[in-house]
Amino acid sequence: MNKLQKWIHGNWSVPIVSGLLILVSFGLKHVAGGAWNTTLTPQWWLDAGAHSTHTTLVFTLADAFMIAGAVVAGYNIVVKAINALLTKHIGIDLLVSIAAIGAIIIGNFWEAAAVTFLFAIGHALEAATMNKTRSALAELVAVAPDVAVVMRDGEQQVVPAHLVKMGEIVLVKNGSKVPVDGQVVAGTGSLDEASITGESMPVEKSKSDQVFAGTISRSGFLQVLATGIGADTTLARIIHRVEDAQDAKAKTQAFIDRFSTWYTPAVIVLALVAGLLTQDVVLALTLLVIGCPGALVISIPVAIVAGIGRAARNGILIKGGEYLETAAKISAVAVDKTGTLTEGRPQLTDVVVLDPAYDRSEVLRWAAAAEAGSEHPLARPILDSARKEGVGPEGIPGTVTPVPGKGIVSDIEGRQVLIGNVPLLLQYGVTNDDGATDRAREAAEKLAAQGRTPMIVAVGGTVIGIVAVADQIREDAPEMVRRLHKAGVEKVVMLTGDTWLVAEAIGAKTGIDEIHASMLPEDKLEAVSELQKQGHTVAMVGDGVNDAPALATANIGVAMGAAGSAVAVETADIALMGDNLLKLPEAIGLAKRTVSVMRQNIMIALVTVVLLLAGVFAGGVTMSIGMLVHEASVLIVIANAMRLMRNSQGSTAMAKELRSPSRASRTAKDDTAKETENAIT
């Protein structure tokens, strides 16, 4: 398609052509009424009567150009109105079509042209600004890589990004885009992951780290094993998710659509009744124009598109308008401890021997063997420590049976191995004849009081010892709680399967309002349900595994660090792509601002219609003036929604603080980190 064809099919071709025709019409009338006046016309021309005939022809030609301007601007409007009627839908286009055609029939050509011309301009501006609000989606598409450098047959080859095969080695050089999702197998470098997580600071990458398509190398050289290509990349899933979310309707929008279904026919009936009662056709046609609910119809979708787009640009994926509205009502936030309030990278701190027949290495060996087949986050530090000490498990793990909220049961070398808490021992009949269970309970409580998570190890029905791990509180966890309260959240609740002593140590340092510990998955579900019964709109932040029932029950399920989880990106109501806790209050704050803009837009639209209707009946508001004010209200509504595309002052300040913290803030953070470390170790 060449430039001319592109312009013809663009949004601005119709209003420009229509506007030129209207200007020609005015020009001809000016000539007929000005230059061709009797003082400048020869007497013989006047005597012949030619002047009057010529003036009439010019005015007729001017009217023809005015009608042509109305037809050019109104053709698409009429077509849309007819197509809508065929689907049994009465919309704004029908109101404008009836008004314009009626104005032409009664000879009011200027009003017809003005109404259709202004409506066409409004449509073009509306399309342009809606595209602007979708800029976040356009930016995501723009960062999608075009080419990749892969190793094939021992040589570097440049291929289109979509032709990279799973399992191939991709080379990422300084300044280039990462073309695939993958794992670093060699090299070091830093990547700008802003397109995925919304974080502006580059992230250092080395062997075994995960990388995402669309991120940009700022330094170094990486060799990446491709694990996600084409539509299976995180970037592709984000683009798809944002596209669907921006098109999804909010409850308010669905109500406005239903309202418009009845409102538009009501305007037609009002105009008809007014025309019959007053015998004033112009009044009836003017009411049709004045009653157009254009600003009302667009008030919600433009705000939703802008709000979801702003969130996506900041690394926050919101599932759609309905979830955006619900997020604005959140009054209680329930969070899991491990991986949310804590770093999620626990370290082995203690190995306590309780049976003299075993030594420290043997207790650690049995614990690691039992955890080898477990997916629980606390398994990793035990396995890592066992391998470092040369007692790590080898071969295929034995049978592992998770017991939610209690621990796991494994079959190792023909012996039953339990690792978990006292209720697990009691469930599997570990006796207390020699007081071993009581000693284990006392030792576990001492470790828990120090902020550590103890796990009792029993082999063949005998308690042999305890292993304990500790996880460091996230540096920004207390600030997250503070900002949640500032954003209007009344209660922040911790739901954890850990012991009370550990939970209380974490809660005291983070400022959590309410603590629930030693919880099974069904207990977390009940806790969320109880919050809802108290009248709260609840958001649940969890890992999606043990927290799945609670996440499903909560009004809003939030997944953190979702960039590495395809399931979280697709299913979470709100997915925080990065691992930044402060994104949660930012998401809630943005949702509240978006809903506020939606309400403002509805008020602007309704007030405009009421004032125009009053102006019509009071006199002085014509069809053209009504359409001009109507289109102005549409633009005001759009401009109001566009404010959401800007970062709030709070977000900007936060970003600056994170990028270049002052000496005072660094000192405060260092002090907080030391206090936290002391509390849990």
Side-chain angles (χ1 to χ4, degrees), residues 77 96 99-100 110-120 289 623-624 627:
I77 301 171
V96 177
W110 153 242
E111 295 287 359
V115 166
T116 53
F117 171 68
L118 289 169
F119 192 78
V289 172
M623 288 174 59
S624 55
M627 181 54 71

Side-chain angles (χ1 to χ4, degrees), residues 445-528:
E445 288 176 354
K446 289 180 181 179
L447 290 168
Q450 300 171 31
R452 300 168 186 175
T453 301
M455 290 167 279
I456 303 170
V457 183
V459 179
T462 301
V463 175
I464 66 170
I466 299 175
V467 292
V469 298
D471 196 1
Q472 184 169 333
I473 298 174
R474 287 178 183 264
E475 186 177 312
D476 51 1
E479 180 65 10
M480 177 202 70
V481 176
R482 187 186 71 80
R483 293 193 184 190
L484 283 174
H485 287 148
K486 188 176 180 181
V489 175
E490 299 171 15
K491 186 181 292 186
V492 182
V493 181
M494 181 200 301
L495 306 179
T496 178
D498 218 329
T499 64
W500 273 100
L501 292 172
V502 174
E504 286 175 347
I506 301 296
K509 288 297 177 182
T510 55
I512 294 291
D513 299 307
E514 194 173 295
I515 298 171
H516 297 270
S518 301
M519 304 194 81
L520 301 174
E522 54 267 30
D523 296 328
K524 293 183 180 182
L525 184 153
E526 290 178 7
V528 169

Side-chain angles (χ1 to χ4, degrees), residues 306-329:
I308 289 177
R310 175 71 265 173
R313 190 178 292 172
N314 289 357
I316 302 166
L317 297 188
I318 301 175
K319 202 170 187 177
E322 179 181 350
Y323 302 94
L324 189 70
E325 282 190 307
T326 303
K329 302 174 185 175

Side-chain angles (χ1 to χ4, degrees), residues 161-444:
H162 67 276
L163 294 182
V164 177
K165 300 175 183 176
M166 292 285 284
E168 281 193 305
I169 299 297
V170 178
L171 306 183
V172 180
K173 303 176 182 180
N174 184 26
S176 64
K177 293 179 182 177
V178 179
V180 297
D181 281 5
Q183 187 176 45
V184 178
V185 294
T188 59
S190 63
L191 298 181
D192 180 352
E193 295 186 335
S195 59
I196 302 296
T197 66
E199 300 293 342
S200 59
M201 297 298 292
V203 180
E204 296 296 325
K205 299 290 182 179
S206 57
K207 188 175 180 180
S208 299
D209 287 338
Q210 191 173 18
V211 298
F212 306 107
T215 56
I216 302 172
S217 174
R218 295 305 183 195
S219 66
F221 175 74
L222 300 173
Q223 296 182 44
V224 177
L225 176 68
T227 59
I229 58 175
D232 290 330
T233 64
T234 299
L235 178 64
R237 285 190 287 270
I238 292 173
I239 291 172
H240 175 70
R241 174 69 180 269
V242 174
E243 190 174 32
D244 287 347
Q246 289 186 332
D247 290 335
K249 290 185 177 181
K251 290 182 179 179
T252 304
Q253 184 180 349
F255 169 77
I256 293 297
D257 289 344
R258 292 194 301 270
F259 175 77
S260 297
T261 302
W262 293 97
Y263 173 82
T264 308
V267 170
I268 295 176
V269 172
L270 173 65
L272 181 61
V273 171
L276 291 174
L277 292 177
T278 62
Q279 297 297 306
D280 188 343
V281 177
V282 174
L283 173 63
L285 297 177
T286 303
L287 287 174
L288 289 176
V289 172
I290 298 304
C292 287
L296 188 63
V297 170
I298 199 175
S299 60
I300 306 302
V302 70
I304 289 174
V305 168
I308 289 177
R310 175 71 265 173
R313 190 178 292 172
N314 289 357
I316 302 166
L317 297 188
I318 301 175
K319 202 170 187 177
E322 179 181 350
Y323 302 94
L324 189 70
E325 282 190 307
T326 303
K329 302 174 185 175
I330 291 173
S331 58
V333 173
V335 297
D336 186 32
K337 177 183 71 69
T338 304
T340 304
L341 294 175
T342 61
E343 295 283 357
R345 294 190 293 272
Q347 302 293 322
L348 183 70
T349 58
D350 300 270
V351 178
V352 179
V353 179
L354 296 176
D355 189 329
Y358 294 82
D359 60 19
R360 182 185 185 282
S361 294
E362 289 178 302
V363 172
L364 181 58
R365 181 178 74 84
W366 282 108
E371 293 283 10
S374 172
E375 83 290 349
H376 197 280
L378 298 182
R380 177 55 51 194
I382 297 173
L383 290 168
D384 289 344
S385 296
R387 291 191 181 102
K388 287 179 182 178
E389 297 186 21
V391 293
E394 298 179 356
I396 299 174
T399 303
V400 176
T401 303
V403 182
K406 297 179 181 179
I408 61 172
V409 181
S410 299
D411 184 13
I412 309 295
E413 300 173 7
R415 303 176 71 177
Q416 184 187 68
V417 181
L418 308 178
I419 179 167
N421 53 24
V422 172
L424 179 70
L425 304 182
L426 299 177
Q427 179 176 331
Y428 281 84
V430 176
T431 61
N432 192 30
D433 296 340
D434 58 354
T437 304
D438 288 337
R439 290 197 301 274
R441 180 186 287 109
E442 291 173 4

Side-chain angles (χ1 to χ4, degrees), residues 44 82 494 609 624:
W44 63 270
I82 293 173
M494 181 200 301
V609 171
S624 55

